[in-house]
Amino acid sequence: MATYRLIPAILAAFLLANSYANERPNVLLIAIDDLNDWIGCMDGHPQSLTPNIDKLASRGTLFTNAHCQAPICGPSRASLLSGRYPHETGVYNQPKSGNALSNDSVLFHGQLLPQYFAHNGYSTYGVGKITHGYEQEAVFQFAGSRGNSGPKPEGPKAPNDVRFHYRPNYDLPYTGTQTDWGTFPDRNDQMPDHQTASWIIPHLEKWHDKPFFMAVGFHRPHVPFYAPQEWFDMHPIENVIVPEIPEDDFLDIPEIGRLIHELPRYPKIDWLRANNEEQLRLCVQAYLACTTFVDAQVGRVLDALDRSPHADNTIIILFSDHGYHLGEKERVSKQGLWEESTKVPFIVATPNGRGSEKRHQPVGLIDIYPTLVDMCGLPKRPQNAGHSLVPLIENSGVTWRHSIITTYAMNNHALRSDRFRYIRYEDGSEELYDHFRDSNEWTNLANNSEYARELDAFRQGLPKDNAPYHPIVGSRPINPWFAEHYERLRVDNR
Ligand SMILES: [Ca+2]
Ligand SMILES: [Ca+2]
């Protein structure tokens, strides 16, 4: 008898819980690897061709002054997934293999972004490059099998590793992963990013009993700059415009600035610029081709969402983990504290948003976590160091931060305000650039007394404490070459 009375109560509770869950919006997080502002809506290069990302910007809010917190894959993702700055966690460097950020109970409380959503009733899915080796399978409920406390949904597992395992040999004079570009492979479906999109699309299209958090991570335009021929054909080599590179740009940069940014495994500028900039032109073409290719994969995923039952109840955030130099500051690489390395595409599109909005305040990838917690109505998480972007998106006249910080190795920081970039290295030397007059950051104003007030404001904004290197990344500097040369610099300066 008691059972009869209980059944309606259980049913009511179940329905209430379900309707409550379904009122929460879904999340589609799209991570792109090493994409700078060479997308149409950011106008970073006159020949960029990214119709799908531009379309997303036209239905959401584009943050035009958004920056990563670390200009290198692993630490950038560790920061945005943990909601903490590198100077708080000590994750300044790539993780040593086999180390799991998600298992650090002291710093991260098992609460990386997808885990927090899982704890709060969401199904979580992850495919492609999201965590950069921080044991992705342990972070998502569905991407893999380990660390999965909840029930396992049906369907195929996400591919564990969707990077290229074969590389054509273009015989470039530089070795390692930072070098190659060209037309490869033959077909789009041989591209790992194509496979990534193909994996997530059926999950987007089907019905879900619970709200979902899906993270899709694309590898292009990370090196090697490979894409099939058709994407190169959209950027004919004879028309490709390469960035302007002044010969004397490094003369006003402190020695540690040149040193800490020196990366031995990346192509050298003299070689790139020889023969009417032959290699640099090929390299820029390949980057543009990869950007257009990855944009098409973004389009496939967004089209699937539009066709699905979730089109009107899904928040979309698209970002890149950091930027990239294509010749500026004499480099084809990331790992810099200058604008090309730190500035990222960052678009937030909500189901009922007005669209084609732009915000120019300094924001960071650190703001993703608190923004999603806010938008989805999850309990506030005090450990989040960033801010919810909802007041900016709604234009509610909020007082915003003065500048956003990017950190490269321990105690080297860049601060970007609405107008200036300030850089301070571990030895105390500085750079200052005025973006109203010098958007290329060619003229260092740090020794110009007219800017004393600005310099002082930035110095006040530097972190008071810099965490030691976290054990998962070790205490080694960025590379052995740097260690050797840094020692020489230290001795010379005595
Ligand atoms: Ca990256
Ligand atoms: Ca300069």
Side-chain angles (χ1 to χ4, degrees):
M1 283 91 37
T3 318
Y4 279 112
R5 282 197 299 275
L6 263 178
I7 286 173
I10 291 168
L11 192 64
F14 175 77
L15 288 173
L16 188 68
N18 247 5
S19 68
Y20 181 60
N22 282 331
E23 279 169 18
R24 293 204 161 145
N26 306 301
V27 176
L28 175 61
L29 191 66
I30 302 176
I32 305 183
D33 207 1
D34 293 24
L35 176 63
N36 61 17
D37 62 359
W38 290 14
I39 58 175
C41 55
M42 291 182 84
D43 206 19
H45 190 287
Q47 296 167 318
S48 58
L49 202 56
T50 54
N52 295 287
I53 296 174
D54 299 346
K55 188 173 150 198
L56 180 65
S58 76
R59 71 193 218 200
T61 302
L62 171 70
F63 291 91
T64 62
N65 194 13
H67 299 270
C68 64
Q69 273 49 79
I72 177 170
C73 311
S76 173
R77 288 152 190 268
S79 170
L80 76 93
L81 290 169
S82 66
R84 309 286 297 274
Y85 288 104
H87 70 262
E88 296 178 298
T89 63
V91 180
Y92 302 112
N93 206 341
Q94 306 287 36
K96 294 184 286 190
S97 68
N99 283 273
L101 190 70
S102 58
N103 292 341
D104 183 325
S105 59
V106 178
L107 275 178
F108 303 113
H109 310 279
Q111 287 186 349
L112 297 181
L113 174 60
Q115 294 172 309
Y116 197 66
F117 273 76
H119 295 329
N120 283 284
Y122 276 67
S123 304
T124 61
Y125 298 72
V127 64
K129 182 167 170 178
I130 307 293
T131 68
H132 191 85
Y134 294 118
E135 283 198 36
Q136 180 151 321
E137 291 184 348
V139 175
F140 294 94
Q141 289 173 309
F142 190 53
S145 53
R146 283 176 297 166
N148 185 351
S149 55
K152 289 182 178 61
E154 75 291 352
K157 271 180 61 174
N160 266 336
D161 186 345
V162 284
R163 289 175 300 178
F164 284 114
H165 288 284
Y166 169 75
R167 292 154 191 257
N169 178 13
Y170 281 88
D171 203 24
L172 298 181
Y174 301 96
T175 57
T177 61
Q178 319 298 351
T179 53
D180 214 357
W181 47 85
T183 55
F184 171 83
D186 295 330
R187 303 189 319 272
N188 289 327
D189 63 7
Q190 295 169 306
M191 293 289 282
D193 288 341
H194 191 278
Q195 296 159 18
T196 290
S198 298
W199 186 85
I200 203 78
I201 284 170
H203 292 299
L204 269 174
E205 287 173 335
K206 71 177 187 186
W207 178 252
H208 294 264
D209 293 332
K210 296 203 291 182
F212 62 75
F213 177 105
M214 291 192 196
V216 186
F218 293 116
H219 281 79
R220 296 280 88 70
H222 192 292
V223 286
F225 301 150
Y226 296 153
Q229 182 71 49
E230 66 177 285
W231 307 99
F232 283 72
D233 291 344
M234 295 181 199
H235 301 279
I237 188 67
E238 59 273 20
N239 300 336
V240 166
I241 297 170
V242 301
E244 194 178 346
I245 312 166
E247 301 286 346
D248 61 352
D249 194 9
F250 269 13
L251 295 182
D252 59 358
I253 290 175
E255 182 169 12
I256 189 173
R258 282 174 270 161
L259 199 49
I260 203 166
H261 288 113
E262 179 65 46
L263 300 161
R265 290 191 304 145
Y266 287 76
K268 294 290 173 286
I269 196 71
D270 294 342
W271 177 78
L272 287 162
R273 301 192 70 178
N275 306 317
N276 192 28
E277 315 208 82
E278 181 188 9
Q279 293 297 340
L280 184 59
R281 199 174 304 280
L282 288 165
C283 183
V284 167
Q285 180 199 30
Y287 188 85
L288 288 168
C290 288
T291 301
T292 304
F293 164 78
V294 82
D295 174 82
Q297 307 317 308
V298 169
R300 291 177 62 216
V301 172
L302 294 180
D303 288 348
L305 177 64
D306 282 344
R307 288 193 304 269
S308 79
H310 318 294
D312 297 330
N313 192 31
T314 302
I315 297 161
I316 306 165
I317 292 189
L318 180 144
F319 68 93
S320 169
D321 61 350
H322 50 74
Y324 217 78
H325 295 247
L326 273 298
E328 305 95 337
K329 291 279 182 290
E330 300 192 7
R331 59 209 339 256
V332 172
S333 72
K334 47 200 170 191
Q335 300 187 45
L337 288 170
W338 298 297
E339 185 86 343
E340 286 83 4
S341 270
T342 73
K343 190 174 179 180
V344 291
F346 187 11
I347 298 168
V348 181
T350 55
N352 302 314
R354 288 163 55 183
S356 285
E357 295 277 308
K358 288 187 179 180
R359 297 290 180 270
H360 310 296
Q361 290 91 341
V363 303
L365 301 179
I366 192 100
D367 299 325
I368 291 175
Y369 200 148
T371 299
L372 285 174
V373 165
D374 191 0
M375 286 182 165
C376 297
L378 306 193
K380 274 206 162 40
R381 184 173 174 268
Q383 297 93 335
N384 279 338
H387 303 306
S388 168
L389 298 169
V390 170
L392 283 191
I393 291 169
E394 293 178 350
N395 225 351
S396 61
V398 67
T399 304
W400 197 245
R401 62 164 74 89
H402 169 259
S403 60
I404 184 75
I405 188 168
T406 304
T407 301
Y408 181 53
M410 186 177 161
N411 201 10
N412 300 282
H413 305 291
L415 296 172
R416 182 67 161 85
S417 68
D418 55 353
R419 177 168 176 179
F420 293 95
R421 168 174 304 274
Y422 169 76
I423 300 175
R424 188 194 179 279
Y425 297 101
E426 57 196 89
D427 69 349
S429 54
E430 298 171 308
E431 295 170 39
L432 182 74
Y433 300 100
D434 180 353
H435 272 260
F436 284 6
R437 295 177 182 164
D438 176 26
S439 61
N440 293 302
E441 300 184 344
W442 286 337
T443 306
N444 180 8
L445 303 168
N447 296 318
N448 185 329
S449 57
E450 283 176 38
Y451 295 90
R453 205 163 53 91
E454 283 81 6
L455 282 163
D456 195 49
F458 280 117
R459 286 173 192 141
Q460 299 297 325
L462 287 165
K464 304 284 180 278
D465 299 302
N466 293 279
Y469 283 86
H470 191 285
I472 69 165
V473 299
S475 59
R476 64 188 163 85
I478 294 297
N479 62 54
W481 185 94
F482 172 77
E484 181 190 319
H485 286 72
Y486 184 69
E487 182 60 24
R488 179 182 59 77
L489 176 74
R490 210 171 56 78
V491 171
D492 289 352
N493 283 349
R494 258 181 207 151

